[in-house]
Amino acid sequence: MLQHDIVVVGAGLAGQRAALAAAKAGHDVALVSKLHPLRSHSGAAQGGINAAIGKDDSVETHIYDTVKGSDYLGDQDAIEFFCQQAGPTVIEMEHFGTIFSRADDGSLARRAFGGAGFPRTIYAADRTGLALLQGIYEHLGTETIRMYDEWFLLSIIVRDGRAQGITAFDRKTSKIEGIAAKAVIVATGPFGRIYGRTTNAHSCTGDGVAAAYRAGANLKDMEFVQFHPTALLESSILITEGARGEGGILKNGQGERFMARYAPHVLDLASRDVVSRAIVTEVKEGRGFPGGYVHLELMHLGKEKIESRLQEICDFARSYAGVDPVTDPIPVYPAQHYMMGGISTNMNGETNIPGLYAAGEAACVSIHGANRLGGNSLLETLVFGKQAGIAAAAYVTTAGDTELLPEDLERETAKFRALWDRKEGESPRAVRTELQQTMDKLVGIYRLPDELYDALRKVRELQERYRTVHVVDPSTTYNIDLSDALEVGHLLDLAEVIVVGAIARTESRGAHSRVDFPVRDDKNWMKHTIAHRAPGGPELSYSPVGYTHFDPKERVY
Amino acid sequence: MSIAEERLLAFAEEKLVTVPFDVYRYDPARGGQPRYQHYELRLAPHTPVLTGLLRIRDEIDPTLALRYSCRSAICGSCAMLVNSKSRLACKTPVGPEVKEHGRIVIDPMRNQPILRDLVVDQQPFWNRYEQMEPHLILDPKRPMPKDGPTRMSPTEVERFKETPRCISCAACYSACPAVEADPEFPGPMALAKLYRFVVDPRDGATQARLQKIQTNGLWLCLRCHLCTEACPKEVRPSERIRDLKELAVEAQGGTEPGSRHAIGFLKNIESAGTLNELKLVRQTSGLGGLVAALPQGVRMWRKKPEITKSPHPIEGIDEVKKIYEALDGKKKGKE
């Protein structure tokens, strides 16, 4: 049995930052990831990281913008802490070696982002996630951390009311191992692959969130799913909000700058939920291009600016849509992009289970509330990754030793073998495809009660069918048929929570737009949805929103 | 309809073509011999190879093993050989491959042990990267500013132009014949990474890094530029290796056979417009090297006695000198 003080699952920005904080506190830290850390989905973040470091800007405005962006569902105390940490976090990352874009005077360059009062998004061209991921990984190399690259999480072991460690297997051998740890930090990122139309990587399947949920951790605000307004038409590859921050504009099929109707003040730089709804409305009302999409135009920015500041998306548009942004508009349509919900934590990454922590997109503090602002998620990974690492480090100095028992391993091995040894059944990918089609069609930007109930029925039918999926591949080496099957199980559990939460919430707030309840209902619904796993499906309860001094107002952009 | 719209529509409605795939299959854990498995799909020509392979997994054969994640050329997982060239599968459209080769042959990357099918063991690749000490090494005399980010001039920033784009996909490492020939050679990615730290104004170990790499593989690059051809992110590793060599020579002169050879070459051409092989051997390896090369020299002399004579300057030597002067002026102008 392997043993460490702290095991971090997921090695994107949040996981690496947590591991770094825990290792700096002098603990024996393991970092488990199903990918090499440098291949984590954090690296795909394009636009930037918010920090109010400009002379004209203030932390107070960043706080206000985030509270407003969250449609008053974000915890204001957490948001205050978060925004105060922004400047120091960015500076720290710069000192770790991150290569940011610079203004002519040598200071960090900033660009405008949606929903922000000032240009406060610090960036590295249009690959800010990659720059930060490289920066933290390089710095992590100066600490001693035990890396378990390409290990796949099976379960989080909770016994005697506390986390005891995890079970996982090395993808190179498929051998199951137990890793005992006094604290487990989950940082496995999002689960966007619940949807077919998603900007998320194939690996974003919520493995850690599902494992935590199955182990008894509460999930929070899962019904809030962000759709990014500008994803490439066919592949759903992300075109950064930075493209509009640099001056890009949206036009409908009639050549009209339609955002003037939806956000007369800030136009194309309204909050993401607002812009996504606008695009869907334009297309639905027949003002889209044939095939159902709108145009993102950059041509007027000029070749030099496009190719230097938006290098990657230039490449994407050319490779994946066959258009050159220098001369042609880019065809875009919203796609699932970010999960505001996740494992319910406080500001220290603590969950309802002692010894279990979560950070990054896998977690929900909540600072994003009902809608996340662009540039706040990279910041979240680093601020709360560090918090979780510090909190876990403090916890393990007083917590007693944990151990994994033979039966912990036997139980997981039995489940694993039952899945793998089945001799016939449906393909896990067939189940996944149906789940994705269901969520795309029925649990999208605009939500109708009948459709949500249809979705719930379908998800539960798929959960039934999942019990008999068949892994064809017998190999013990890099068996993706097997990991596909495990991942689909995670997606199904989490999809159910999203749908149940969406059915219950009879209001429209941020990214959750109920056609039958089109307005925000602060009297009844200014509260977080908490989902707890029960035999019959998720059980919902509600918890109050952290309040300091921002009273809810109507959101106008 | 605008031209752009027409192009887009044409793109969306492209006719499907039959794409024959021949995919390398081998599972050492289960024994047997490596083989190619044939699959056929109907795909639009702009479809990335990765999409094709995932459709094979979804619809025909779920046992095919490969690494992939982001499908947008940023995670670096899906490098493989597409018709013998090291490519990112997610960034290579099927159409042009079928047009040129009639089919798509997929192999695992080169220079890395095969774990299964298209999955290779990348540990040696990562080890070489780690050998570059890929993190900032601070000069205690130049600490980071206390309460703000470092300032960087546009010239300093300009040096970072290409290297931050690297996604560690190892396509360059796979394409590199020097990696194949010499286990001492760190490979293009590791050297491009090293360059990124050497030019970083925050790093305090520039000279130590240059000194170390001069005796640890910098001069083993064959200058074939296959890495630059393979790189999907325009890092242009061979040019970064050239930049490293220039910096090493500028800072430390001809301390190694590699750098002395480069300097000798330059001087030879400047003085005569052609090479004096004898002189070049001495310039590169010193008198000892000349003595060591003697048996080979004698054999060469028997076949071609004129090699011992100093070659006469070529006819247009004045023009050559003008090129040197112009380059010198350009360099001074830069400084």
Side-chain angles (χ1 to χ4, degrees):
Chain A
M1 196 85 66
L2 303 159
Q3 189 141 19
H4 298 278
D5 291 339
I6 297 172
V7 59
V8 182
V9 191
L13 282 172
Q16 289 194 48
R17 190 63 191 82
L20 182 65
K24 276 196 196 290
H27 295 291
D28 167 18
V29 181
L31 185 52
V32 177
S33 170
K34 68 176 174 181
L35 309 169
H36 184 280
L38 281 174
R39 312 214 184 286
S40 303
H41 190 53
S42 299
Q46 298 172 2
I49 177 166
N50 291 338
I53 57 168
K55 282 196 188 73
D56 45 352
D57 203 355
S58 73
V59 172
E60 197 57 26
T61 334
H62 186 190
I63 295 169
Y64 173 70
D65 287 340
T66 305
V67 170
K68 178 183 171 190
S70 81
D71 219 349
Y72 300 90
L73 192 66
D75 292 322
Q76 297 177 12
D77 46 351
I79 291 171
E80 286 187 9
F81 171 78
F82 168 70
C83 296
Q84 282 153 6
Q85 293 303 308
T89 300
V90 167
I91 291 166
E92 183 179 64
M93 287 306 295
E94 200 277 333
H95 289 182
F96 284 173
T98 305
I99 301 167
F100 288 108
S101 293
R102 304 276 166 165
D104 290 341
D105 67 352
S107 64
L108 300 178
R110 289 171 288 140
R111 64 163 53 121
F113 245 55
F118 287 100
R120 70 165 69 94
T121 306
I122 319 264
Y123 62 94
D126 53 352
R127 47 171 180 274
T128 315
L130 185 65
L132 292 167
L133 192 64
Q134 289 174 349
I136 192 112
Y137 186 71
E138 287 156 8
H139 190 74
L140 203 65
T142 63
E143 297 285 339
T144 310
I145 287 167
R146 174 71 170 87
M147 310 290 268
Y148 293 89
D149 295 348
E150 301 193 325
W151 278 55
F152 194 101
L153 173 72
L154 281 174
S155 67
I156 297 165
I157 306 293
V158 174
R159 204 180 343 93
D160 305 330
R162 61 178 287 209
Q164 308 270 348
I166 63 164
T167 61
F169 66 91
D170 184 346
R171 302 183 76 164
K172 291 184 193 71
T173 60
S174 300
K175 190 170 169 287
I176 301 180
E177 296 271 10
I179 305 178
K182 295 183 204 172
V184 175
I185 303 175
V186 175
T188 53
F191 31 97
R193 286 280 155 179
I194 286 176
Y195 288 84
R197 290 194 49 83
T198 175
T199 64
N200 283 192
H202 287 282
S203 54
C204 297
T205 51
D207 307 335
V209 183
Y213 177 57
R214 289 170 183 179
N218 289 338
L219 305 185
K220 192 194 288 166
D221 293 341
M222 292 285 283
E223 63 270 32
F224 294 99
V225 178
Q226 180 168 81
F227 289 79
H228 197 289
T230 60
L232 281 184
L233 197 55
E234 189 184 12
S235 57
S236 295
I237 287 170
L238 173 67
I239 299 297
T240 174
E241 191 164 305
R244 281 170 289 137
E246 296 290 351
I249 54 173
L250 292 164
K251 282 191 181 168
N252 66 15
Q254 296 161 3
E256 188 190 7
R257 206 172 164 188
F258 58 89
M259 279 314 295
R261 270 201 299 280
Y262 303 88
H265 305 294
V266 296
L267 301 164
D268 305 279
L269 280 176
S271 199
R272 286 178 181 172
D273 54 337
V274 176
V275 183
S276 289
R277 277 194 293 273
I279 294 173
V280 172
T281 306
E282 288 300 301
V283 170
K284 210 181 254 172
E285 292 177 359
R287 292 187 296 275
F289 286 91
Y293 60 91
V294 298
H295 275 166
L296 172 63
E297 291 190 358
L298 304 178
M299 298 92 81
H300 57 285
L301 302 179
K303 188 176 159 76
E304 208 276 323
K305 192 170 181 180
I306 297 173
E307 287 187 346
S308 63
R309 298 208 197 153
L310 302 166
Q311 215 171 25
E312 299 295 327
I313 66 137
C314 244
D315 214 11
F316 293 158
R318 286 168 186 160
S319 304
Y320 301 113
V323 297
D324 185 344
V326 174
T327 52
D328 311 321
I330 309 171
V332 292
Y333 193 77
Q336 189 285 337
H337 179 58
Y338 186 87
M339 295 295 182
M340 269 71 76
I343 301 167
S344 180
T345 73
N346 61 13
M347 276 191 258
N348 297 320
E350 291 162 344
T351 67
N352 57 313
I353 299 171
L356 181 63
Y357 298 78
E361 197 172 342
C364 178
V365 175
S366 158
I367 47 159
H368 308 307
N371 172 65
R372 174 178 72 81
L373 290 190
N376 270 356
S377 67
L378 285 175
L379 182 59
E380 181 195 20
T381 62
L382 295 166
V383 169
F384 292 106
K386 183 177 177 181
Q387 285 296 103
I390 290 171
Y395 170 82
V396 301
T397 47
T398 55
D401 280 340
T402 51
E403 61 171 342
L404 295 189
L405 304 173
E407 56 254 43
D408 293 328
L409 213 56
E410 279 157 22
R411 195 177 51 240
E412 290 312 316
T413 310
K415 275 197 275 181
F416 185 72
R417 292 279 13 148
L419 170 68
W420 204 355
D421 291 349
R422 208 170 285 141
K423 290 287 172 270
E424 55 180 8
E426 203 176 350
S427 151
R429 284 162 299 279
V431 174
R432 185 179 66 199
T433 305
E434 275 189 53
L435 171 68
Q436 291 173 339
Q437 286 167 348
T438 303
M439 295 299 283
D440 281 349
K441 201 165 145 231
L442 305 176
V443 197
I445 292 179
Y446 284 111
R447 296 166 174 186
L448 290 153
D450 292 353
E451 293 187 347
L452 291 174
Y453 279 110
D454 281 351
L456 185 60
R457 266 191 296 277
K458 186 72 192 178
V459 169
R460 289 191 168 149
E461 176 208 314
L462 291 170
Q463 284 175 331
E464 247 349 276
R465 278 163 54 188
Y466 176 72
R467 292 175 202 280
T468 60
V469 291
H470 179 214
V471 176
V472 175
D473 190 353
S475 177
T476 52
T477 312
Y478 232 90
N479 187 330
I480 315 175
D481 198 16
L482 179 66
S483 52
D484 273 351
L486 292 163
E487 288 169 351
V488 174
H490 302 157
L491 295 176
L492 285 166
D493 277 11
L494 301 175
E496 186 189 16
V497 185
I498 292 175
V499 180
V500 168
I503 289 173
R505 190 174 279 274
T506 49
E507 65 158 351
S508 288
R509 183 185 296 270
H512 175 66
S513 297
R514 281 282 294 258
V515 177
D516 50 339
F517 294 96
V519 288
R520 198 175 72 198
D521 176 0
D522 290 327
K523 193 162 155 273
N524 295 304
W525 284 106
M526 212 171 109
K527 57 188 181 186
H528 297 297
T529 307
I530 303 290
H532 192 83
R533 191 168 186 246
E539 273 178 9
L540 301 187
S541 58
Y542 293 89
S543 72
V545 171
Y547 171 83
T548 57
H549 60 278
F550 296 100
D551 288 324
K553 283 192 283 192
E554 199 194 339
R555 267 166 90 224
V556 182
Y557 284 103
Chain B
M1 198 185 286
S2 73
I3 296 171
E5 275 172 64
E6 266 175 36
R7 197 180 312 161
L8 190 70
L9 265 183
F11 190 72
E13 292 167 6
E14 269 176 345
K15 281 203 187 75
L16 300 187
V17 293
T18 299
V19 182
F21 283 93
D22 286 308
V23 183
Y24 179 93
R25 304 299 306 272
Y26 179 45
D27 187 353
R30 306 192 70 223
Q33 289 296 314
R35 66 197 160 87
Y36 286 94
Q37 193 151 342
H38 187 77
Y39 306 98
E40 274 187 20
L41 292 172
R42 297 276 296 164
L43 298 168
H46 72 273
T47 311
V49 167
L50 177 66
T51 307
L53 294 173
L54 295 185
R55 282 214 18 211
I56 289 172
R57 283 189 42 75
D58 282 2
E59 295 163 22
I60 311 172
D61 184 353
T63 69
L64 176 64
L66 69 155
R67 282 195 184 94
Y68 61 95
S69 181
C70 76
R71 55 75 166 95
S72 58
I74 201 75
C75 77
S77 300
C78 68
M80 56 185 70
L81 301 188
V82 179
N83 286 324
S84 302
K85 296 215 160 146
S86 300
R87 293 273 182 267
L88 280 185
C90 72
K91 215 189 162 188
T92 309
V94 294
E97 294 295 323
V98 175
K99 215 171 187 178
E100 194 182 338
H101 303 276
R103 57 185 187 150
I104 300 182
V105 182
I106 302 286
D107 286 278
M109 276 194 282
R110 293 192 194 95
N111 296 334
Q112 293 155 92
I114 294 161
L115 290 175
R116 182 186 171 197
D117 297 346
L118 307 175
V119 181
V120 294
D121 179 5
Q122 300 211 280
Q123 205 48 56
F125 165 75
W126 292 118
N127 290 347
R128 284 169 163 87
Y129 159 79
E130 296 293 345
Q131 279 163 14
M132 297 300 115
E133 298 178 85
H135 51 84
L136 286 184
I137 300 173
L138 295 189
D139 179 349
K141 279 177 263 162
R142 276 195 304 131
M144 291 287 183
K146 273 219 163 48
D147 46 7
T150 326
R151 283 198 176 252
M152 281 186 203
S153 71
T155 335
E156 287 170 328
V157 174
E158 180 68 16
R159 294 198 190 114
F160 283 135
K161 208 170 154 196
E162 298 92 355
T163 46
R165 298 194 72 186
C166 175
I167 55 170
S168 325
C169 66
C172 60
Y173 187 85
S174 164
C176 177
V179 166
E180 191 184 350
D182 197 331
E184 295 292 309
F185 186 57
M189 180 271 196
L191 288 172
K193 239 344 145 185
L194 178 70
Y195 175 77
R196 169 250 171 280
F197 285 99
V198 163
V199 298
D200 195 318
R202 297 167 293 189
D203 193 78
T206 308
Q207 291 310 317
R209 288 181 191 276
L210 285 173
Q211 207 147 21
K212 190 173 162 197
I213 198 60
Q214 283 232 58
T215 50
N216 282 282
L218 176 62
W219 297 98
L220 295 174
C221 166
L222 302 170
R223 300 186 293 274
C224 67
H225 301 288
L226 285 175
C227 55
T228 291
E229 197 210 355
C231 177
K233 303 302 281 187
E234 292 287 318
V235 174
R236 310 185 73 80
S238 56
E239 294 176 14
R240 306 294 75 78
I241 296 173
R242 177 206 61 202
D243 294 342
L244 270 178
K245 286 175 176 169
E246 273 185 25
L247 289 171
V249 170
E250 264 171 39
Q252 288 152 8
T255 56
E256 304 306 318
S259 49
R260 283 199 298 266
H261 184 80
I263 294 167
F265 208 101
L266 197 73
K267 283 186 180 156
N268 266 240
I269 302 291
E270 186 176 18
S271 60
T274 182
L275 285 184
N276 180 338
E277 302 280 356
L278 208 61
K279 210 162 138 192
L280 194 59
V281 173
R282 207 185 62 224
Q283 282 164 330
T284 303
S285 317
L287 262 178
L290 199 59
V291 173
L294 208 59
Q296 193 191 358
V298 170
R299 283 198 301 278
M300 285 168 79
W301 172 74
R302 281 198 184 127
K303 289 215 166 125
K304 203 178 164 194
E306 62 271 25
I307 64 154
T308 51
K309 290 182 196 134
S310 288
H312 290 295
I314 60 163
E315 215 167 281
I317 185 66
D318 290 343
E319 295 302 311
V320 172
K321 290 206 161 120
K322 271 184 206 156
I323 294 174
Y324 272 70
E325 278 161 23
L327 284 173
D328 259 358
K330 209 172 147 196
K331 212 162 150 194
K332 285 207 180 90
K334 251 201 214 164
E335 282 160 6

